[in-house]
Amino acid sequence: MTSTRMNEQQTPPPPPPAEITYSGQYAINPLAEVSFRRMCAQIPAVLGRIARLSWRTDPRAVRLLVGCQLITGASAAVLLTATARAMGPVLGAGSAAERLRGALPALLVVALAAALARTAGAVTAYAERRITPRLTTETDSALVEAVCRVEAVAYAEDGFADRREAAEMGVMRTHVMVTDAQRFVSAVIRMVTAGGVLSVLNPLMLPLLLLAVLPAGVGAVLSARVDYEIHYGNIADRNVRGMMRWWATESKYSDEVRANSMTDYLVYWYKTLSDRCDRRTLSAAPRTLRIALLSALAGGVFLLLTWGALAWLAVSGRIDLAIAATAVIAVQTTLAALSQVVVNGAAVFHTSLYLGDMQAFLDAAAARAPERGPHRLAEPVDEIRLEEVVYQYPGKDKPAVDGVSLTLRRGQILAIVGANGSGKSTLTRLLTGVYLADKGTVTWNGTDLAGVDPATVWKHTGLVPQIFAQWPLRVRENVTLGQPRTHDDTPVWEAVDAVGLRDAVEDLPAGLDTLLARDLWGGTELSGGQWQRIACSRALYRRPELLILDEPTSQMDPRGEHQIFEQIKAIAADRITIVVTHRLENTKIADHVIVMEHGRITEQGRYDDLAHGGGTFAELLELSQDR
């Protein structure tokens, strides 16, 4: 018992989530050095951006919005003017009936103006609902497309995922940005209209009103800046937390989570990271409270001065009682409009921060999209040549591929072997043009891939990566990648037969129409080996000029592995084939074998020569057989 307690006392506590810190340009909050004046100056720019996006989405709805804003402003002016005319008879001499009769025409105008403003508001809501869903879809689709089209090396850059997460926040803000912008513009129009009427009644009132609301505006913008600082500080942790949430709750990994007793730690880890984000948020609460209290105090003082000035003007007889009553309404209208300008202006400013992140990411992604030249490849692909190719990942100290020269010809099967991290997968990415060499050249039929439109290269490639996608699509789309060659399924079944999966597909509830996603209603799940066969059928369906299989049978049974390699041999004459494998016996099918170590080719030749050559290949082969 004592021993058990001692062991429990010596058990270390679970490690907390790592702190993620960056250096360089992406470690700097973009608002850290921005002045208040410059922040406010962003509002017209973001309004213009919202207007352009909205116009591109639905010009008719934008015209409706603009028309409704003008109608709202005109209605506000008419309403205040008619109210001023109605106040004279209402506060004048005579019986109540006589005063009401005298004010009736002006009151009818007031009612008509109010009804017109309400109608414009309803039409405005309709126009917003036409624009917002499509605008959100457009920006979201643009973000997805931008991420899919960047050079693959961008994924390896520090901060790329966090900048993408910040851009996704901009997409989320598109749900409210049209409403915020519309309300801001509407409030500005009402403020200008009511302020104009108030200036006619007495010019002294307008500057006092502006002073009454200005502190609230300053406070709202400063609070938005604090909120963004917290958002910026939490980006990395929120991004990691989101990834961990997916991994922890995804059904594919539920067995591992349970059988390895990971639940307690995952929950602890998730709560700890959430608490870290909350601490940053709560640390800003005193700052926002001080901003709110100071702005409310300053605004309250100026508002008292406004009402005091109005009372003094009325008591001293400097304005008529009817004008004073109208001024009260005008003050209330102007004050409400000013408050809406402040609130919605702060919202627009807040939106501008996130839209700025989104646009910056989209611009950076567009700059990183492959633009390698206008050349097209000559067909068929008879030769691929690498000459002294060097490639180093961003932020790494050593090249992943270092000085590799190699020639591949049509009809040849090349096997690449080596320890983990030796550069095998990186080499295949260079061969396909997914990565461009830092030094040296990769040529197809004598044409340097650096000057070729990558789409014309990739239509000739078929790749089975070591980590392949298990798309939540039907079997048919998982094979064709959504690019069917014909209207019938004959080529699909040919690819399925080639990997020995026909019986399994025919046993599925809907055959080729079965949804391969157990978590979705009506879906089903395949085994790991079956999924790997699907990935192989996907590459074979393309009938590529260059076929690359990176550990293509690691999850298959011996029968499936044998069938795949027999198929590789059967179709090899029509293409260049590359097999990356740790199972050295599988390299017997290759015409040429290369051994990679630390990014370099250290041995090459035929299987029999290398197996008896006394080098690394022979050593690895002996180890694999000594079991």
Side-chain angles (χ1 to χ4, degrees):
M1 179 71 72
T2 304
S3 176
T4 302
R5 285 203 192 97
M6 290 179 61
N7 288 335
E8 290 177 352
Q9 291 173 356
Q10 293 173 357
T11 301
E19 291 277 359
I20 300 176
T21 56
Y22 297 120
S23 59
Q25 67 177 107
Y26 298 117
I28 303 172
N29 182 345
L31 281 185
E33 305 298 329
V34 178
S35 66
F36 173 79
R37 180 178 179 180
R38 185 177 172 186
M39 286 191 292
C40 293
Q42 291 180 4
I43 292 179
V46 75
L47 286 174
R49 182 185 302 168
I50 293 171
R52 289 190 296 273
L53 289 171
S54 301
W55 181 265
R56 192 166 63 235
T57 301
D58 192 334
R60 180 168 174 266
V62 173
R63 285 193 289 267
L64 278 176
L65 278 176
V66 173
C68 288
Q69 301 302 329
L70 296 176
I71 291 173
T72 299
S75 298
V78 170
L79 192 147
L80 286 175
T81 303
T83 299
R85 292 181 179 177
M87 285 299 175
V90 168
L91 298 176
S95 64
E98 290 173 342
R99 283 181 287 167
L100 183 59
R101 193 179 303 113
L104 187 59
L107 292 175
L108 289 175
V109 173
V110 168
L112 182 61
L116 194 60
R118 287 182 176 274
T119 302
V123 176
T124 295
Y126 162 77
E128 288 176 15
R129 290 175 181 174
R130 282 182 57 93
I131 295 172
T132 297
R134 295 167 63 189
L135 185 57
T136 300
T137 298
E138 181 180 341
T139 53
D140 187 36
S141 300
L143 179 59
V144 171
E145 182 177 4
V147 175
C148 290
R149 292 193 184 281
V150 295
E151 289 277 11
V153 68
Y155 290 97
E157 295 176 352
D158 284 342
F160 178 83
D162 292 330
R163 284 179 283 131
R164 181 184 64 194
E165 198 272 349
E168 287 172 353
M169 186 66 72
V171 172
M172 293 174 61
R173 292 292 296 190
T174 60
H175 286 287
V176 296
M177 73 177 187
V178 175
T179 300
D180 290 341
Q182 178 271 322
R183 289 176 179 173
F184 174 77
V185 173
S186 178
V188 169
I189 292 174
R190 290 199 306 274
M191 180 192 72
V192 171
T193 302
V197 173
L198 190 61
S199 297
V200 171
L201 296 176
N202 193 289
L204 178 63
M205 303 299 299
L206 189 58
L208 288 175
L209 273 179
L210 291 173
L211 288 174
V213 179
L214 183 61
V218 174
V221 173
L222 291 178
S223 294
R225 178 173 179 171
V226 173
D227 289 342
Y228 183 79
E229 288 173 354
I230 300 304
H231 154 76
Y232 193 84
N234 278 336
I235 283 178
D237 284 338
R238 249 195 344 262
N239 189 30
V240 174
R241 185 179 63 177
M243 289 189 290
M244 182 64 82
R245 179 189 181 91
W246 188 87
W247 284 87
T249 58
E250 171 62 31
S251 64
K252 291 181 184 295
Y253 314 110
S254 59
D255 295 346
E256 182 182 2
V257 169
R258 285 156 179 77
N260 290 331
S261 304
M262 296 171 65
T263 301
D264 289 342
Y265 176 64
L266 290 175
V267 172
Y268 157 78
W269 190 98
Y270 193 84
K271 287 182 177 179
T272 301
L273 198 57
S274 298
D275 289 341
R276 185 186 296 171
C277 293
D278 289 343
R279 283 197 302 272
R280 292 193 186 98
T281 302
L282 293 174
S283 68
R287 294 169 61 192
T288 55
L289 177 61
R290 286 194 297 271
I291 292 171
L293 289 176
L294 291 174
S295 61
L297 177 63
V301 170
F302 285 112
L303 187 58
L304 284 175
L305 289 175
T306 301
W307 288 118
L310 180 59
W312 173 72
L313 290 171
V315 171
S316 64
R318 284 175 170 76
I319 58 174
D320 294 336
L321 191 59
I323 298 298
T326 304
V328 170
I329 298 173
V331 166
Q332 293 280 31
T333 302
T334 307
L335 190 60
L338 278 169
S339 299
Q340 287 300 307
V341 167
V342 169
V343 171
N344 292 295
V348 169
F349 168 72
H350 212 161
T351 295
S352 74
L353 303 178
Y354 300 111
L355 288 183
D357 286 339
M358 182 183 74
Q359 193 60 52
F361 180 84
L362 291 176
D363 291 343
R368 295 303 306 274
E371 291 184 4
R372 305 177 185 177
H375 301 298
R376 302 179 68 86
L377 291 173
E379 300 181 26
V381 179
D382 292 319
E383 181 183 84
I384 298 176
R385 184 186 295 272
L386 292 83
E387 296 183 359
E388 292 298 320
V389 169
V390 177
Y391 182 81
Q392 184 170 324
Y393 285 99
K396 299 298 182 180
D397 297 329
K398 297 179 180 179
V401 171
D402 190 5
V404 170
S405 296
L406 191 64
T407 299
L408 307 174
R409 293 184 174 86
R410 188 179 185 84
Q412 182 183 27
I413 299 177
L414 171 72
I416 306 176
V417 300
N420 292 332
S422 59
K424 303 185 300 297
S425 295
T426 304
L427 180 61
T428 64
R429 295 184 182 114
L430 291 165
L431 283 166
T432 57
V434 172
Y435 291 167
L436 289 180
D438 296 327
K439 295 179 182 178
T441 59
V442 179
T443 61
W444 284 32
N445 288 346
T447 304
D448 190 344
L449 292 189
V452 177
D453 179 359
T456 67
V457 177
W458 295 332
K459 76 176 184 178
H460 296 296
T461 62
L463 172 65
V464 181
Q466 195 168 356
I467 301 175
F468 53 87
Q470 299 179 11
W471 299 108
L473 301 169
R474 293 174 295 183
V475 176
R476 182 183 295 101
E477 282 70 44
N478 259 289
V479 174
T480 67
L481 290 178
Q483 303 169 45
R485 292 199 301 270
T486 64
H487 291 286
D488 65 73
D489 290 328
T490 300
V492 179
W493 283 115
E494 289 175 352
V496 170
D497 285 333
V499 297
L501 205 58
R502 177 179 281 269
D503 290 344
V505 172
E506 288 180 340
D507 286 342
L508 294 173
L512 291 176
D513 289 308
T514 303
L515 180 65
L516 297 183
R518 184 175 61 189
D519 295 341
L520 303 180
W521 187 84
T524 190
E525 187 59 83
L526 301 179
S527 68
Q530 289 173 328
W531 265 118
Q532 196 161 42
R533 294 191 192 208
I534 288 287
C536 290
S537 71
R538 190 181 293 155
L540 296 175
Y541 175 85
R542 292 174 61 79
R543 299 178 183 175
E545 303 272 347
L546 171 63
L547 175 62
I548 299 178
L549 303 106
D550 192 346
E551 297 290 349
T553 60
S554 58
Q555 300 181 50
M556 293 186 195
D557 55 54
R559 183 180 291 107
E561 184 174 42
H562 176 76
Q563 184 163 5
I564 291 296
F565 279 98
E566 286 298 310
Q567 182 66 25
I568 292 172
K569 287 192 293 184
I571 65 173
D574 296 328
R575 56 189 45 82
I576 297 172
T577 305
I578 299 175
V579 178
V580 181
T581 182
H582 285 109
R583 300 182 184 180
L584 302 191
E585 290 290 338
N586 291 334
T587 63
K588 289 181 179 180
I589 71 166
D591 302 298
H592 193 72
V593 181
I594 64 172
V595 180
M596 295 196 68
E597 295 183 78
H598 307 295
R600 292 180 173 272
I601 297 176
T602 56
E603 296 178 48
Q604 57 182 312
R606 298 187 65 85
Y607 173 86
D608 291 335
D609 296 332
L610 295 177
H612 301 92
T616 301
F617 185 91
E619 177 189 356
L620 294 175
L621 182 60
E622 183 179 354
L623 289 172
S624 68
Q625 295 172 341
D626 185 19
R627 293 176 184 170

